[in-house]
Amino acid sequence: MNRRHLPAAAAAAAALALPIQAQAQAAGSGKLASIQSSGRIRFGTTGDFNPMSFRDPASREYRGHQIEAAQQLARDMNVRPEFIATDWRTLINGLVADQYDVVFTGTSMSVPRAMAASFTIPWGRNAFVPLVRRRDATRFADWEALNQRSVTIGTNLGTTMETWVQSGLPNATLRRVESPARDWQELLGGRVDATMSSLIEAAFLTKEYPDLVAIFQNQPRNPIPMAFLAPLNDLVFTNFLNAWITIRTASGFFDEINRKWNVAQA
């Protein structure tokens, strides 16, 4: 090589090395490194979404589909799982404030959430269906029959159901419920005409409460991926979680817990 080109070549090599060095530094200072160093991984979970995340009435311990997924991740990482209570309205706030490392509670992907936190690749898919009381099962002929000012629809504050009702059924009257109260409790109490549920939760609620009926199950709306939430801008940790989901999907783990907890796929 001509000597006069050596400085330029050295500068180019240094420029190429900088991103690699930055990645190495990020890997050593991000969530993945801190979890391995502390020997624990903290899961934010709501505990109000049966069969995804709920508290056992007897033991008060967390149980459900997402809890089993979290426990499996902890075992695979050889660290201790710790579950931190949160609610739908403050899921992102908890991540930003470093109250927990990742959210395992049955979150649907949405653009507003993706602007504030990192979603992993999906582990499954969900969709929305209305829940009504059994005596109202034939009251609504189609989705447009819900889109009336005279129809009050309950949703939980901070959920993707709330956002979708605002855009998908804009003429309906929206009644927001703040956790720990639940929208379906408003339906059982006769304070709303319907609630917007997911295929996943509707399957549980209609079994648990015979007075509730899911309508339009053959025409669900808003098919949406389900994924875990991680802190924004931590690519190393998010890439690790993506790899774990891929590995565990291939092993049949997610199919197994889907069957165990009767988690429907849209």
Side-chain angles (χ1 to χ4, degrees), residues 63-234:
R63 294 187 61 211
H65 178 285
Q66 297 283 277
I67 305 305
E68 289 199 10
Q71 291 167 338
Q72 183 63 57
L73 174 60
R75 282 193 297 270
D76 289 341
M77 295 182 71
N78 196 30
V79 296
R80 182 180 77 256
E82 183 176 322
F83 295 100
I84 310 296
T86 185
D87 59 56
W88 295 100
R89 185 171 56 87
T90 59
L91 285 180
I92 306 296
N93 294 343
L95 277 175
V96 173
D98 193 32
Q99 294 173 1
Y100 34 82
D101 303 309
V102 62
V103 172
F104 274 50
T105 202
T107 46
S108 302
M109 298 179 79
S110 71
V111 173
R113 286 174 176 170
M115 293 175 68
S118 292
F119 274 110
T120 64
I121 59 174
W123 58 261
R125 292 179 68 83
N126 203 1
F128 297 162
V129 291
L131 279 180
V132 299
R133 290 176 299 251
R134 185 167 295 278
R135 65 175 176 269
D136 292 331
T138 60
R139 174 182 169 187
F140 304 104
D142 52 29
W143 279 94
E144 191 55 35
L146 290 166
N147 192 27
Q148 310 295 328
R149 188 173 299 277
S150 60
V151 178
T152 301
I153 300 177
T155 64
N156 267 70
L157 189 66
T159 61
T160 49
M161 289 82 160
E162 176 194 9
T163 305
W164 185 83
V165 169
Q166 288 176 299
S167 60
L169 301 171
N171 296 326
T173 300
L174 182 61
R175 181 182 177 93
R176 297 174 178 87
V177 181
E178 189 165 359
S179 297
R182 291 304 313 274
D183 50 1
W184 51 265
Q185 293 172 328
E186 297 294 291
L187 182 58
L188 286 171
R191 292 179 288 275
V192 298
D193 300 300
T195 63
M196 196 54 54
S197 188
S198 66
L199 287 172
I200 291 173
E201 189 172 37
F204 164 77
L205 288 174
T206 53
K207 183 178 179 180
E208 188 77 3
Y209 302 99
D211 192 41
L212 298 184
V213 177
I215 57 177
F216 313 146
Q217 293 189 75
N218 61 338
Q219 303 170 33
R221 294 290 178 89
N222 198 38
I224 194 167
M226 306 286 286
F228 305 120
L229 273 171
L232 193 65
N233 296 328
D234 194 331

